[in-house]
């Protein structure tokens, strides 16, 4: 047994997105008790700690939060943050991304990058992540190996590309190889640690880059593969409705090349002209689509209906000029919205900073669409909504008794501005309101150095040497 004593915040239970404010729990002097198996056996005020735990060792911190979940980031773009692409999505891919991702064919380069990527995740407190993978199996092997050694959670899958521009040539395989390599990765790594997708830390998905990097034939074959793998808890992950630049942006290109009525149809088995059905759907509870900035209402409805989640990446959308996902309309449609850094189009590894950007972009939406997100909504999006997107809400995402102990310890003295804001900032007289203000400042004001401890299943994450 081990006791962690701190100001503890989490979103308890399994609330709907529009009710998370009522599920916020704050223990200003709280105690979290973790057993030898890494499970949470008690959470409550320090003053009420049961006698059974009185002799357990105690670790103190200023704050304790559930581990952050990054629902969308790119491992082969680890070194491509803050890269000047000279344009929006399609230019940036050609100039910055296809060249950097091509470097991962080299096993030594990939191994170093996998260690760097794992270090960045630990520094940012990202205990669980949906990781868009490299095209190269050798690089994926390094990623899973180092993630497992560090003790972190991961879902990943090789980035599938069967068509594309010349700059992407080394990332492109034949359709047969794309299917074979994906199936081999599932065999080699999916739930390798426990054999059970409900408990595994290491899991695999089917991950085409986006509809423009594959063909109707590839999508039909991936649908066939996924229809078999779905029962084993294999994931699906890709991009959706990211960039809408007039005439020649991503969305227009997808609608033009497939002849479909909606981008989502290409992932829903309806990838033939006129959105006619050509194969199995890739949507479901273990499917997450990044961005969803420019969705039609029926696309949002279909994601909600199938349990497909959105990885919302406002930091990346600012960087590529992609626009802003309409928050209120998306929540109203009932789609689960988790947060993603989208490294490298996102230039920030810390998911609470992405939450801060979410706050800024949604308060800036025009007219009635604009909204000041509640501090509990930010915490939910950074933690429990991510676990929900990964269909792992039963195992982590908050600090409910019985779940795995995935959490962060935060020391404000490690980041002077945070200590200043929290200790000297103005607070409301009303205690409940003051607590919300404190949580908001903690999330939006935090920077990586303040994260003093990162724990998964009760064990401290092991940072690899560079
Ligand atoms: Zn992305």
């Amino acid at each position: 047994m081990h006791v962690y004593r701190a100001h503890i915040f989490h979103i308890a239970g399994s609330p709907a997105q529009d009710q998370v404010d009522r599920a916020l729990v704050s223990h200003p002097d709280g105690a979290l008790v973790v057993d030898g198996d890494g499970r949470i056996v008690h959470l409550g005020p320090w003053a009420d700690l049961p006698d059974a735990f009185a002799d357990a060792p105690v670790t103190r911190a200023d704050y304790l939060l559930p581990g952050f979940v990054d629902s969308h980031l790119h491992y082969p773009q680890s070194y491509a943050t803050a890269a000047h692409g000279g344009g929006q999505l399609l230019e940036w891919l050609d100039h910055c991304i296809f060249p950097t991702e091509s470097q991962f064919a080299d096993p030594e380069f990939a191994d170093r990058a996998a260690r760097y990527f794992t270090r960045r995740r630990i520094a940012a407190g990202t205990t669980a992540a949906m990781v868009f993978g490299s095209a190269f199996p050798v690089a994926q092997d390094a990623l899973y190996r180092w993630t497992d050694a560090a003790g972190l959670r991961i879902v990943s899958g090789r980035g599938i590309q069967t068509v594309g521009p010349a700059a992407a040539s080394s990332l492109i395989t034949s359709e047969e190889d794309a299917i074979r390599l994906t199936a081999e990765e599932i065999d080699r790594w999916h739930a390798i640690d426990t054999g059970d997708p409900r408990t595994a830390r290491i899991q695999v998905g089917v991950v085409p880059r986006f509809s423009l990097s594959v063909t109707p034939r590839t999508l039909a074959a991936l649908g066939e593969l996924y229809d078999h793998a779905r029962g084993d808890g294999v994931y699906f992950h890709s991009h959706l409705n990211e960039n809408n630049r007039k005439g020649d942006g991503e969305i227009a290109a997808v609608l033009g090349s497939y002849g479909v009525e909606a981008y989502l149809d290409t992932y829903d088995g309806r990838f033939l002209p006129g959105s006619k059905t050509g194969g199995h759907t890739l949507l479901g509870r273990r499917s997450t689509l990044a961005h969803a900035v420019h969705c039609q209402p029926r696309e949002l409805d279909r994601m909600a209906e199938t349990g497909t989640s959105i990885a919302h990446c406002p930091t990346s959308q600012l960087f590529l000029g992609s626009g802003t996902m309409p928050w209120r309309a998306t929540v109203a449609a009932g789609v689960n919205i988790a947060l993603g850094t989208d490294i490298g189009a996102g230039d920030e590894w810390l998911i609470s900073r992405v939450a801060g950007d979410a706050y800024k972009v949604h308060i800036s939406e025009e007219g009635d669409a604009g909204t000041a997100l509640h501090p509990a909504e930010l915490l939910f999006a950074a933690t429990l909504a991510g676990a929900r997107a990964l269909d792992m809400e039963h195992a982590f995402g908050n600090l409910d008794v019985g779940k795995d102990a995935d959490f962060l310890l935060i020391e404000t003295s490690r980041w002077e501005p945070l200590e200043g804001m929290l200790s000297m900032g103005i607070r409301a007289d009303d205690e409940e309101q003051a607590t919300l203000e404190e949580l908001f400042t903690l999330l939006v004001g935090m920077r990586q150095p303040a994260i003093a401890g990162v724990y998964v299943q009760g064990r401290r994450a092991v940072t690899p040497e560079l």
Side-chain angles (χ1 to χ4, degrees):
M1 297 284 177
H2 199 106
V3 181
Y4 296 88
R5 182 178 181 183
H7 187 162
I8 299 172
F9 285 110
H10 81 134
I11 304 293
S14 183
Q17 187 122 22
D18 57 2
Q19 296 183 2
V20 296
D21 54 334
R22 279 178 261 165
L24 176 66
V25 170
S26 166
H27 295 297
D29 183 12
L32 178 82
V33 186
V34 180
D35 73 8
D37 295 329
R39 288 228 171 71
I40 296 168
V41 292
H42 177 79
L43 174 71
W46 170 258
D48 300 344
L49 188 68
D51 290 343
F53 310 127
D55 294 334
V58 178
T59 298
R60 296 188 70 140
D62 293 329
Y63 293 93
L64 188 156
L65 296 174
F68 290 144
V69 183
D70 189 339
S71 63
H72 181 65
L73 77 169
H74 294 255
Y75 153 59
Q77 298 173 20
S78 290
Y79 298 122
T81 47
H84 187 262
Q88 295 194 356
L89 175 64
L90 299 182
E91 292 84 16
W92 172 82
L93 285 171
D94 275 354
H95 294 143
C96 303
I97 294 310
F98 295 142
T100 196
E101 292 199 3
S102 299
Q103 293 180 293
F104 282 67
D106 174 1
E108 270 182 48
F109 184 96
D111 192 75
R112 184 186 170 97
R115 282 176 278 142
Y116 174 77
F117 181 82
T118 305
R119 289 168 64 89
R120 299 279 64 74
R121 281 193 55 193
I122 295 172
T126 303
T127 52
M130 172 64 92
V131 179
F132 213 102
S134 166
F136 306 107
V138 68
Q140 287 298 95
D141 289 347
L143 174 68
Y144 292 118
R145 263 201 317 273
W146 284 110
T147 304
D148 192 29
L152 299 177
R153 298 182 189 273
I154 192 169
V155 179
S156 187
R158 67 176 296 274
I160 297 166
Q161 199 152 353
T162 56
V163 289
S169 59
S170 76
L171 307 173
I172 295 170
T173 69
S174 69
E175 287 172 332
E176 291 69 26
D177 283 349
I179 301 307
R180 177 179 58 80
L181 292 171
T182 302
E184 285 176 4
E185 184 171 330
I186 293 167
D187 283 347
R188 193 151 67 247
W189 288 107
H190 184 59
I192 193 77
D193 51 327
T194 68
D196 179 354
R198 281 182 59 81
T199 56
R201 281 189 299 106
I202 309 295
Q203 304 207 53
V204 178
V206 172
V207 185
R209 182 187 293 279
F210 63 162
S211 298
L212 292 179
S213 68
V214 291
T215 67
R217 197 167 152 250
T218 319
L219 286 170
L222 290 177
E224 198 68 35
L225 171 70
Y226 194 60
D227 205 48
H228 289 110
R230 186 192 281 276
D232 298 326
V234 170
Y235 291 81
F236 172 72
H237 188 44
S238 193
H239 296 94
L240 175 73
N241 287 328
E242 177 177 359
N243 193 283
N244 196 28
R245 192 181 61 187
K246 278 205 169 72
D248 62 348
E250 173 215 19
I251 296 169
V254 170
L255 299 187
S257 69
Y258 283 87
V260 289
E261 293 154 7
Y263 194 153
L264 185 71
D265 290 342
T266 60
Y267 301 133
D268 199 12
R270 304 171 62 203
F271 45 74
L272 298 178
S275 292
K276 288 210 176 59
T277 299
H280 297 284
T281 185
L282 296 161
L283 307 182
R285 286 173 60 85
R286 290 206 160 198
S287 302
T288 298
L289 293 168
H291 300 295
V293 174
H294 308 281
C295 286
Q296 302 171 29
R298 76 168 176 86
E299 291 179 293
L300 293 176
D301 291 345
R302 180 63 179 152
M303 279 189 276
E305 180 189 10
T306 55
T308 302
S309 290
I310 292 172
H312 180 34
C313 310
T315 310
S316 161
Q317 286 145 20
L318 287 167
F319 189 84
L320 290 177
S322 300
T324 302
M325 185 196 83
W327 179 268
R328 295 182 63 184
T330 309
V331 169
V335 192
N336 179 47
I337 305 168
L339 291 176
T341 59
D342 198 17
I343 295 291
D347 58 350
E348 173 55 59
W349 292 82
L350 183 60
I351 209 75
S352 57
R353 289 219 72 197
V354 175
D357 281 350
Y359 183 83
K360 294 169 197 165
V361 298
H362 298 304
I363 204 168
S364 304
E365 286 189 68
E366 285 185 23
D368 291 344
T371 181
L373 295 182
H374 190 282
E377 286 186 290
L378 300 179
L379 179 61
F380 174 76
T383 57
L384 193 59
R388 191 171 292 176
L390 297 180
D391 194 26
M392 290 293 284
E393 205 177 348
H394 58 277
F396 61 90
N398 64 13
L399 306 173
D400 285 349
V401 168
K403 287 198 184 183
D404 291 351
D406 289 17
F407 63 93
L408 312 177
L409 299 180
I410 292 149
E411 295 285 2
T412 60
S413 62
R414 294 164 61 110
W415 181 248
E416 190 177 295
L418 184 64
E419 186 173 47
M421 289 181 274
L422 285 168
S423 63
M424 303 300 286
I426 293 289
R427 295 281 176 272
D429 293 333
D430 176 71
E431 198 182 325
E432 202 172 312
Q433 184 59 31
T435 297
L436 297 179
E437 293 171 0
E438 183 175 355
L439 173 61
F440 183 82
T441 300
L442 176 65
L443 290 173
V444 177
M446 195 197 315
R447 298 295 183 268
Q448 290 185 19
I451 298 176
V454 178
Y455 294 78
V456 175
Q457 295 177 328
R459 283 187 294 277
R460 202 176 170 110
V462 180
T463 302
E465 298 289 323
L466 196 54

PDB file of all heavy atoms in Angstrom, residues 354-366:
ATOM      1  N   VAL A 354      -3.043  22.166 -24.447  1.00  0.00           N
ATOM      2  CA  VAL A 354      -4.029  22.023 -25.524  1.00  0.00           C
ATOM      3  C   VAL A 354      -5.422  22.377 -24.983  1.00  0.00           C
ATOM      4  O   VAL A 354      -6.221  23.030 -25.664  1.00  0.00           O
ATOM      5  CB  VAL A 354      -3.996  20.589 -26.101  1.00  0.00           C
ATOM      6  CG1 VAL A 354      -5.099  20.389 -27.133  1.00  0.00           C
ATOM      7  CG2 VAL A 354      -2.628  20.299 -26.720  1.00  0.00           C
ATOM      8  N   ALA A 355      -5.681  21.980 -23.738  1.00  0.00           N
ATOM      9  CA  ALA A 355      -6.944  22.368 -23.100  1.00  0.00           C
ATOM     10  C   ALA A 355      -7.037  23.891 -23.003  1.00  0.00           C
ATOM     11  O   ALA A 355      -8.098  24.481 -23.214  1.00  0.00           O
ATOM     12  CB  ALA A 355      -7.053  21.727 -21.714  1.00  0.00           C
ATOM     13  N   GLY A 356      -5.914  24.526 -22.689  1.00  0.00           N
ATOM     14  CA  GLY A 356      -5.879  25.989 -22.633  1.00  0.00           C
ATOM     15  C   GLY A 356      -6.172  26.605 -23.997  1.00  0.00           C
ATOM     16  O   GLY A 356      -6.912  27.599 -24.100  1.00  0.00           O
ATOM     17  N   ASP A 357      -5.625  26.013 -25.046  1.00  0.00           N
ATOM     18  CA  ASP A 357      -5.919  26.509 -26.400  1.00  0.00           C
ATOM     19  C   ASP A 357      -7.390  26.269 -26.759  1.00  0.00           C
ATOM     20  O   ASP A 357      -8.006  27.085 -27.449  1.00  0.00           O
ATOM     21  CB  ASP A 357      -5.002  25.848 -27.433  1.00  0.00           C
ATOM     22  CG  ASP A 357      -3.612  26.484 -27.453  1.00  0.00           C
ATOM     23  OD1 ASP A 357      -3.428  27.547 -26.816  1.00  0.00           O
ATOM     24  OD2 ASP A 357      -2.709  25.923 -28.107  1.00  0.00           O
ATOM     25  N   ALA A 358      -7.936  25.147 -26.289  1.00  0.00           N
ATOM     26  CA  ALA A 358      -9.364  24.891 -26.518  1.00  0.00           C
ATOM     27  C   ALA A 358     -10.191  26.006 -25.886  1.00  0.00           C
ATOM     28  O   ALA A 358     -11.133  26.528 -26.499  1.00  0.00           O
ATOM     29  CB  ALA A 358      -9.768  23.528 -25.945  1.00  0.00           C
ATOM     30  N   TYR A 359      -9.816  26.370 -24.675  1.00  0.00           N
ATOM     31  CA  TYR A 359     -10.536  27.458 -24.006  1.00  0.00           C
ATOM     32  C   TYR A 359     -10.489  28.733 -24.859  1.00  0.00           C
ATOM     33  O   TYR A 359     -11.502  29.400 -25.082  1.00  0.00           O
ATOM     34  CB  TYR A 359      -9.927  27.714 -22.629  1.00  0.00           C
ATOM     35  CG  TYR A 359     -10.670  28.775 -21.860  1.00  0.00           C
ATOM     36  CD1 TYR A 359     -11.814  28.454 -21.144  1.00  0.00           C
ATOM     37  CD2 TYR A 359     -10.249  30.109 -21.888  1.00  0.00           C
ATOM     38  CE1 TYR A 359     -12.519  29.426 -20.462  1.00  0.00           C
ATOM     39  CE2 TYR A 359     -10.948  31.081 -21.206  1.00  0.00           C
ATOM     40  CZ  TYR A 359     -12.081  30.744 -20.495  1.00  0.00           C
ATOM     41  OH  TYR A 359     -12.790  31.704 -19.829  1.00  0.00           O
ATOM     42  N   LYS A 360      -9.297  29.043 -25.362  1.00  0.00           N
ATOM     43  CA  LYS A 360      -9.120  30.301 -26.113  1.00  0.00           C
ATOM     44  C   LYS A 360      -9.878  30.289 -27.438  1.00  0.00           C
ATOM     45  O   LYS A 360     -10.512  31.286 -27.811  1.00  0.00           O
ATOM     46  CB  LYS A 360      -7.626  30.545 -26.363  1.00  0.00           C
ATOM     47  CG  LYS A 360      -6.836  30.809 -25.090  1.00  0.00           C
ATOM     48  CD  LYS A 360      -5.336  30.765 -25.364  1.00  0.00           C
ATOM     49  CE  LYS A 360      -4.550  30.615 -24.070  1.00  0.00           C
ATOM     50  NZ  LYS A 360      -3.156  30.223 -24.315  1.00  0.00           N
ATOM     51  N   VAL A 361      -9.803  29.176 -28.177  1.00  0.00           N
ATOM     52  CA  VAL A 361     -10.467  29.190 -29.488  1.00  0.00           C
ATOM     53  C   VAL A 361     -11.988  29.155 -29.341  1.00  0.00           C
ATOM     54  O   VAL A 361     -12.693  29.768 -30.147  1.00  0.00           O
ATOM     55  CB  VAL A 361      -9.999  28.054 -30.437  1.00  0.00           C
ATOM     56  CG1 VAL A 361      -8.529  28.178 -30.747  1.00  0.00           C
ATOM     57  CG2 VAL A 361     -10.340  26.678 -29.916  1.00  0.00           C
ATOM     58  N   HIS A 362     -12.499  28.477 -28.322  1.00  0.00           N
ATOM     59  CA  HIS A 362     -13.966  28.382 -28.234  1.00  0.00           C
ATOM     60  C   HIS A 362     -14.603  29.630 -27.625  1.00  0.00           C
ATOM     61  O   HIS A 362     -15.746  29.943 -27.934  1.00  0.00           O
ATOM     62  CB  HIS A 362     -14.386  27.105 -27.513  1.00  0.00           C
ATOM     63  CG  HIS A 362     -13.938  25.894 -28.265  1.00  0.00           C
ATOM     64  ND1 HIS A 362     -14.297  25.694 -29.584  1.00  0.00           N
ATOM     65  CD2 HIS A 362     -13.097  24.876 -27.953  1.00  0.00           C
ATOM     66  CE1 HIS A 362     -13.713  24.587 -30.024  1.00  0.00           C
ATOM     67  NE2 HIS A 362     -12.983  24.074 -29.061  1.00  0.00           N
ATOM     68  N   ILE A 363     -13.845  30.351 -26.823  1.00  0.00           N
ATOM     69  CA  ILE A 363     -14.387  31.626 -26.342  1.00  0.00           C
ATOM     70  C   ILE A 363     -14.373  32.651 -27.473  1.00  0.00           C
ATOM     71  O   ILE A 363     -15.091  33.654 -27.443  1.00  0.00           O
ATOM     72  CB  ILE A 363     -13.614  32.122 -25.099  1.00  0.00           C
ATOM     73  CG1 ILE A 363     -14.495  33.056 -24.274  1.00  0.00           C
ATOM     74  CG2 ILE A 363     -12.302  32.802 -25.475  1.00  0.00           C
ATOM     75  CD1 ILE A 363     -13.955  33.366 -22.895  1.00  0.00           C
ATOM     76  N   SER A 364     -13.564  32.353 -28.512  1.00  0.00           N
ATOM     77  CA  SER A 364     -13.443  33.271 -29.653  1.00  0.00           C
ATOM     78  C   SER A 364     -14.359  32.910 -30.814  1.00  0.00           C
ATOM     79  O   SER A 364     -14.356  33.593 -31.837  1.00  0.00           O
ATOM     80  CB  SER A 364     -11.992  33.294 -30.153  1.00  0.00           C
ATOM     81  OG  SER A 364     -11.111  33.636 -29.111  1.00  0.00           O
ATOM     82  N   GLU A 365     -15.107  31.809 -30.708  1.00  0.00           N
ATOM     83  CA  GLU A 365     -16.057  31.482 -31.784  1.00  0.00           C
ATOM     84  C   GLU A 365     -17.108  32.582 -31.880  1.00  0.00           C
ATOM     85  O   GLU A 365     -17.476  33.191 -30.874  1.00  0.00           O
ATOM     86  CB  GLU A 365     -16.742  30.133 -31.504  1.00  0.00           C
ATOM     87  CG  GLU A 365     -15.848  28.940 -31.735  1.00  0.00           C
ATOM     88  CD  GLU A 365     -16.644  27.648 -31.666  1.00  0.00           C
ATOM     89  OE1 GLU A 365     -17.467  27.418 -32.570  1.00  0.00           O
ATOM     90  OE2 GLU A 365     -16.458  26.884 -30.703  1.00  0.00           O
ATOM     91  N   GLU A 366     -17.601  32.789 -33.080  1.00  0.00           N
ATOM     92  CA  GLU A 366     -18.475  33.945 -33.315  1.00  0.00           C
ATOM     93  C   GLU A 366     -19.880  33.755 -32.760  1.00  0.00           C
ATOM     94  O   GLU A 366     -20.416  32.647 -32.764  1.00  0.00           O
ATOM     95  CB  GLU A 366     -18.536  34.233 -34.816  1.00  0.00           C
ATOM     96  CG  GLU A 366     -17.249  34.895 -35.285  1.00  0.00           C
ATOM     97  CD  GLU A 366     -17.304  35.320 -36.733  1.00  0.00           C
ATOM     98  OE1 GLU A 366     -18.425  35.516 -37.257  1.00  0.00           O
ATOM     99  OE2 GLU A 366     -16.231  35.446 -37.324  1.00  0.00           O
TER     100      GLU A 366
END
